[in-house]
Amino acid sequence: MASAAAVVTINIGGELFQTTSGTLARTGASSPLSSLSPSTPADPHFLDGDPRLFALLLSFLRRGSLPSPPSAALLAEARHFALDAALLASLSPTSAFAPLSLRPSALLPLAGRAAPSAVALCPSPHPASVVVAHGGVVTCFDAAFASRRSVLTPLPAVDSLVAVSPDLAVAGARDFPGVHLCRFSDATAPPEVLSWPGSTSATVLSMAATAVSDAAQLPWLFTSFESARRNSSAVVAFDLNSLTPVAEIGRKEVFGADIEAAIPATKLGWLAGHNLLLAAGSHSGPAGVVGDICLWDVRASSTVPVWEVKEKDDCFADIAASDKLSALFKVGAASGEVFMADLRRLDNGGTIGSEPWMCIGAGQRATAAASSRRKEGNGCMIECYCNWVFVTRGSDVEVWSQVELAPEAGGKKVMRRNWVVSGPSMKVEGSEEGVTENTKIVSWAFGGSRMALARAEKISVEVWDSAPAAICAKS
């Protein structure tokens, strides 16, 4: 039993709470709660706050968990009391993400007139703050949406964005050189630019970061560059600690008219559990869409991929890699159907069977669409998060999950489409009219228990949470 001398009494909004100094010390040195001295009910400490939310925070500090994922209001209260960043992150963990429970929780308006072109969420274990590119500006909303910080880049329109931490993001744009570092902790700091070694005029096609929070992983940023003359390309890995290039991967040169021999990577993905880098690109020509997909073991070779496939029949409109499911997933450019390639079938010869892709959608429809060269997959995006695969179709999002069949059906694990959702109808505070029409999704991201969506021509970003509070707008 705690001694009376260690008991702290706090008055929150007219309600008294009693706890110990040791419990409050878990909030971190920057929190005013950690410095409260022992007190009695006759002379309590008074702090302005919501007693209902404070009771949940106190329970979390005592037990290290919550009965359900936190609301945006609870995260705002945690931010109000300056809880340690690691605690804030654990309030919205990846383990709390449940796609079937996702609901719109906030609408984040953006300053200016430029619609969002890219969105990112901070990786675990950082709090799932939202980073948005709109025009040449990159804006960061903290995990509780209580504050907003912006950095003006020299880029006219950012189309590649990676959130490294709550204080750092990297941005790039096609036809404009370099990767620009956005430091939200000091927006007035001189701009820093990462370039392809030996070619300061090279432009960025795509970016991806490793699991920088995992001590077992190298804190690398992978960036796909293309030369200003568009006659060469490569993926360059930068060490995020020193901001120096550490590897050039898969350099390609264009010779004569053989453009398809050097298709640059426009989609990158990192498979931490396999130590593999996905680098894929496609090219549209008179013969249709062709693509090149490579898997690189960056620690073994920077010139020879462990697996490569050239695509011509129903080439990918978008592609993603899942570490949890040990598979690649793509949306066919012609059919719009979802395909899967099992990485566990990767043999030493660098092939995944005779035909790597298995259609997990409507196979007959995919075959008919590919033979007729339709373009039903144009504009579709695909992304993997935890054990799920998400696909955008215009204004809608669908999710695929792995389910196990009953023993009498063979007991196999198959992928099933089990959720399709349209965009929310959000009412902005202070406005009589809600945002009811759904427009095409142009960018999205996942982090913690959240999904963030940017839609065409909307000067705002939607945040969906597995356990949201009432829908509201944040200034």
Side-chain angles (χ1 to χ4, degrees), residues 210-230:
T210 65
V212 296
S213 59
D214 188 344
Q217 297 295 328
L218 296 175
W220 284 4
L221 169 73
F222 293 102
T223 304
S224 176
F225 281 102
E226 186 177 46
S227 66
R229 298 179 60 187
R230 297 184 175 176

Side-chain angles (χ1 to χ4, degrees), residues 160-232:
S160 292
L161 185 66
V162 170
V164 178
S165 73
D167 291 321
L168 177 65
V170 288
R174 297 191 183 191
D175 299 325
F176 292 88
V179 178
H180 297 256
L181 276 66
C182 304
R183 297 188 183 278
F184 302 110
S185 57
D186 186 4
T188 61
E192 297 178 68
V193 181
L194 307 181
S195 299
W196 186 4
S199 179
T200 57
S201 61
T203 64
V204 180
L205 298 177
S206 179
M207 292 189 293
T210 65
V212 296
S213 59
D214 188 344
Q217 297 295 328
L218 296 175
W220 284 4
L221 169 73
F222 293 102
T223 304
S224 176
F225 281 102
E226 186 177 46
S227 66
R229 298 179 60 187
R230 297 184 175 176
N231 59 356
S232 61

Side-chain angles (χ1 to χ4, degrees), residues 124 223 226 233 281 324 387:
S124 178
T223 304
E226 186 177 46
S233 63
K324 296 284 188 180
N387 294 319

